[in-house]
C-alpha cells in the first residue's frame, strides 16, 4: 500500500473504532502508531516519531492556558457565583414575559465570560434554574431546553476551552480568537433572549401557559452590587486585561485564578475541602485535555506523512466547488459528526485534515475558528450524543424528565444557533471586526 492509501485506511479504521465506543484519543494514538509503522516499516521509528510529537506538544508554553482557565472555572462554580449571576440576570429581566428564561440565558452568558466550560454551565444552572422555572409555571421540557441551549455560550464567549484547543491545533493567537468570539457570542445570547420572548408570546404551549415569573422581591441596590460586582470585576480583570494588552491569555488565566480565589475567600464561600476538590477536578480535566491534544498531534503527523491532506486539497481544487462549496461541506460534516461525537473529538479529527485545504484558499483562520466552534457546539444539542443533554440529565433530580424531553426542549435553540452560524458565514466581519480587519 502507498502512504496515501495507508492514510485513508487509517482514517476509516479510526472512525470505526470511535463508532464502536473506543475512547477517541486512544483510537487516534493506536491508529496513528500502526499507520506510521506501516509507512516506515519500523515500529521503533514509529514510536520515536510519535513520542517526539507528544513531547513537543506538552512542552509548549501556550498549553498553560488550559489548566489556568479550568481552575478559574471550577473556583467560580464552587463559590456560588453561578447563583449570583442567575439572581442578577433574573432581576434585570423580571419585567419581561418569560423573564426567568431570559434570566437563565443572561446568567449563562455571564457565567460563560468567567468559566469557558459548557459542561460546568449546564450542571450549575440545571440545579439553580430548572427548579425555579418549573415552580413558576414553565414546562419541564422548556426549562431543561433553555439551560441546554444557553449552556453552549460557554464555548463561544471567551474564555473558551474550544477556542484554546483550536488555537493550539492551528497555531493561531488564542487572544485573537477570544476577541473574535465576543460579538458572535453576544449575538447568540441576544437571539436566545429574543427567541424566549417570542416563544412566550406565540408558543405558550411549549414554554408554559400560566407563567408567574419570579415572586422574589427586586434586589436592592446594595444586594445588586454585592452579587454583581465580584462577577463584573472578574470579567473586567480577565477579558479587559486581554483586550487592553495588559496580559497575555496565559497571564490572564493566572490573574483570573487568583482573583476568583480572593473573591471566594472574601465571601467566605471557599473552604479547604472545596479547594482540594477544585484542584483534583482541575487535574483530571487538564489531564484529559492534555491526552486529547497529544493524540491530535500524533494524528496530524501521521496524516502529514501519508500525504492525505495534500491529496485531499488537490481533489478539492480540481473539483472546482469554490470557497462556499468547501466551507458549506465542512460545516455540514461538522454538524453531522456532532450527532455522535463530542466537540473536542470533532475538532481533533477534522481541523488537521482541513487545514491544508483551506490555507491555499486564503481563508481567515480566526473567522474559520469561530465558524468551527459554532458548528461544533450545535452538536452538543443534537441526538443521539449531545453531551450537554446528558450532563443535564445526570444533574437532574427528576425522573419524569427524559432525554427525549431535553433534546426536544433544546431543539429551538439549536435552530437559533444555525441562524447565528449563517449570519457569521454571510457577514465575516461579525468575527473579524474587533480585530480591526
Amino acid at each position: 500500500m502507498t502512504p496515501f492509501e495507508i492514510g485513508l485506511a487509517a482514517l476509516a479504521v479510526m472512525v470505526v473504532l470511535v463508532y464502536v465506543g473506543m475512547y477517541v484519543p486512544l483510537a487516534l494514538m493506536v491508529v496513528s502508531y500502526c499507520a506510521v509503522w506501516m509507512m516506515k516499516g519500523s515500529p521503533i521509528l514509529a514510536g520515536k516519531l510519535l513520542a517526539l510529537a507528544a513531547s513537543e506538544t506538552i512542552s509548549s508554553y501556550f498549553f498553560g492556558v488550559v489548566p489556568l482557565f479550568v481552575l478559574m472555572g471550577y473556583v467560580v462554580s464552587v463559590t456560588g457565583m453561578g447563583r449570583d449571576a442567575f439572581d442578577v440576570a433574573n432581576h434585570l429581566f423580571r419585567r419581561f414575559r418569560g423573564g426567568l428564561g431570559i434570566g437563565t440565558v443572561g446568567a449563562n452568558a455571564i457565567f460563560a465570560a468567567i468559566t469557558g466550560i459548557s459542561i460546568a454551565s449546564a450542571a450549575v444552572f440545571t440545579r439553580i434554574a430548572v427548579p425555579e422555572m418549573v415552580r413558576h409555571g414553565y414546562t419541564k421540557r422548556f426549562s431543561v431546553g433553555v439551560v441546554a441551549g444557553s449552556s453552549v455560550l460557554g464555548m463561544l464567549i471567551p474564555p473558551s476551552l474550544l477556542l484554546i484547543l483550536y488555537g493550539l491545533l492551528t497555531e493561531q493567537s488564542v487572544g485573537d480568537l477570544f476577541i473574535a468570539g465576543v460579538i458572535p457570542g453576544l449575538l447568540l445570547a441576544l437571539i436566545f433572549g429574543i427567541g424566549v420572548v417570542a416563544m412566550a408570546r406565540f408558543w405558550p404551549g411549549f414554554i408554559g401557559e400560566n407563567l408567574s415569573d419570579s415572586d422574589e422581591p427586586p434586589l436592592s441596590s446594595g444586594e445588586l452590587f454585592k452579587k454583581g460586582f465580584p462577577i463584573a470585576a472578574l470579567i473586567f480583570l480577565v477579558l479587559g486585561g486581554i483586550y487592553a494588552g495588559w496580559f497575555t491569555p496565559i497571564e490572564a488565566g493566572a490573574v483570573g485564578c487568583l482573583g476568583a480565589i480572593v473573591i471566594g475567600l472574601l465571601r467566605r464561600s471557599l473552604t479547604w475541602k472545596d479547594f482540594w476538590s477544585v484542584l483534583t477536578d482541575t487535574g483530571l480535566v487538564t489531564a484529559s485535555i492534555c491526552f486529547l491534544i497529544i493524540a491530535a498531534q500524533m494524528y496530524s503527523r501521521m496524516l502529514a506523512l501519508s500525504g492525505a491532506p495534500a491529496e485531499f486539497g488537490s481533489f478539492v481544487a480540481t473539483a472546482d466547488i469554490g470557497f462556499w462549496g468547501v466551507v458549506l461541506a465542512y460545516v455540514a460534516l461538522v454538524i453531522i459528526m456532532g450527532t455522535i461525537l463530542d466537540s473536542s473529538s470533532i475538532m481533533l479529527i477534522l481541523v488537521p485534515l482541513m487545514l491544508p485545504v483551506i490555507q491555499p484558499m486564503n481563508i481567515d483562520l480566526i473567522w474559520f475558528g469561530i465558524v468551527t466552534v459554532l458548528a461544533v457546539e450545535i452538536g452538543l444539542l443534537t441526538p443521539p450524543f449531545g453531551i450537554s443533554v446528558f450532563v443535564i440529565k445526570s444533574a437532574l433530580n427528576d425522573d419524569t424528565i427524559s432525554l427525549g424531553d431535553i433534546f426536544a426542549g433544546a431543539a429551538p435553540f439549536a435552530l437559533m444557533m444555525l441562524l447565528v452560524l449563517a449570519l457569521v458565514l454571510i457577514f465575516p466581519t461579525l468575527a473579524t471586526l474587533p480585530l480591526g480587519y
Side-chain angles (χ1 to χ4, degrees):
M1 294 175 69
T2 65
F4 176 66
E5 291 170 339
I6 292 172
L8 289 182
L11 188 60
V13 171
M14 184 268 298
V15 171
V16 171
L17 290 176
V18 172
Y19 277 7
V20 298
M22 181 178 280
Y23 185 44
V24 172
L26 187 59
L28 287 169
M29 288 180 173
V30 170
V31 170
S32 298
Y33 174 75
C34 293
V36 174
W37 181 358
M38 293 176 66
M39 291 178 209
K40 298 298 182 181
S42 168
I44 297 175
L45 181 58
K48 287 182 177 179
L49 285 172
L50 298 181
L52 182 63
S55 64
E56 288 179 353
T57 300
I58 207 63
S59 63
S60 171
Y61 169 75
F62 298 103
F63 184 74
V65 295
V66 175
L68 291 171
F69 279 112
V70 172
L71 176 60
M72 183 174 67
Y74 276 117
V75 172
V76 166
S77 295
V78 301
T79 54
M81 287 193 212
R83 175 84 228 186
D84 287 349
F86 181 74
D87 290 342
V88 170
N90 184 35
H91 171 82
L92 295 175
F93 300 110
R94 67 188 187 279
R95 297 185 183 279
F96 290 90
R97 180 169 176 78
L100 274 176
I102 305 170
T104 301
V105 172
N108 258 307
I110 296 169
F111 200 66
I114 47 177
T115 59
I117 309 171
S118 289
I119 293 174
S121 296
V124 168
F125 289 105
T126 296
R127 299 187 184 98
I128 294 172
V130 171
E132 279 291 301
M133 285 191 283
V134 171
R135 187 166 68 88
H136 286 91
Y138 291 79
T139 64
K140 291 182 178 180
R141 179 173 290 186
F142 171 80
S143 299
V144 292
V146 71
V147 171
S150 55
S151 70
V152 303
L153 293 168
M155 284 303 180
L156 191 59
I157 295 176
S160 159
L161 286 183
L162 272 191
L163 289 176
I164 292 171
L165 178 58
Y166 177 86
L168 293 171
L169 289 174
T170 59
E171 299 181 356
Q172 297 299 301
S173 165
V174 173
D176 286 351
L177 286 165
F178 281 179
I179 294 171
V182 172
I183 293 178
L186 294 178
L187 177 63
L188 182 60
L190 176 64
I191 288 180
F192 279 169
I194 293 171
V196 171
V197 173
M199 284 187 282
R201 182 176 178 83
F202 301 109
W203 196 7
F206 176 75
I207 191 172
E209 297 279 359
N210 299 305
L211 303 182
S212 57
D213 280 318
S214 185
D215 50 11
E216 298 291 331
L219 297 176
S220 67
S221 299
E223 290 173 324
L224 194 62
F225 179 82
K226 182 179 177 181
K227 291 176 178 288
F229 179 74
I231 299 170
L234 194 57
I235 293 172
F236 175 78
L237 188 65
V238 176
L239 299 186
I242 293 174
Y243 300 153
W246 299 337
F247 316 124
T248 67
I250 298 173
E251 293 166 347
V255 171
C257 286
L258 179 60
I261 291 170
V262 169
I263 290 171
L265 292 175
L266 291 175
R267 290 158 54 103
R268 298 182 180 179
S269 57
L270 182 62
T271 64
W272 281 111
K273 182 180 178 181
D274 289 334
F275 191 58
W276 176 251
S277 176
V278 162
L279 291 177
T280 54
D281 287 344
T282 299
L284 290 171
V285 172
T286 302
S288 177
I289 294 172
C290 173
F291 203 51
L292 284 170
I293 295 173
I294 289 173
Q297 285 299 316
M298 291 180 174
Y299 168 67
S300 298
R301 296 286 177 96
M302 182 275 293
L303 284 178
L305 285 172
S306 73
E311 291 287 341
F312 185 52
S314 299
F315 169 75
V316 171
T318 54
D320 196 27
I321 60 175
F323 168 83
W324 283 110
V326 171
V327 172
L328 292 177
Y330 170 74
V331 167
L333 182 59
V334 169
I335 293 174
I336 291 170
M337 290 187 72
T339 63
I340 50 154
L341 293 177
D342 65 279
S343 305
S344 300
S345 300
I346 296 169
M347 292 184 69
L348 293 173
I349 293 168
L350 288 185
V351 171
L353 187 64
M354 286 296 297
L355 203 57
V357 176
I358 62 175
Q359 282 178 323
M361 302 177 71
N362 295 319
I363 291 177
D364 187 302
L365 291 180
I366 299 294
W367 168 79
F368 191 73
I370 302 302
V371 169
T372 298
V373 170
L374 268 169
V376 162
E377 287 296 282
I378 294 173
L380 289 181
L381 306 179
T382 51
F385 194 81
I387 188 168
S388 280
V389 171
F390 283 89
V391 169
I392 288 170
K393 177 61 178 174
S394 65
L396 281 172
N397 294 318
D398 190 341
D399 293 333
T400 64
I401 302 176
S402 66
L403 281 173
D405 290 329
I406 306 174
F407 277 121
F413 297 93
L415 293 176
M416 293 179 219
M417 290 191 71
L418 280 173
L419 172 61
V420 174
L421 176 58
L423 290 173
V424 173
L425 285 170
I426 296 169
F427 305 106
T429 52
L430 289 172
T432 58
L433 184 63
L435 297 171
Y437 62 89

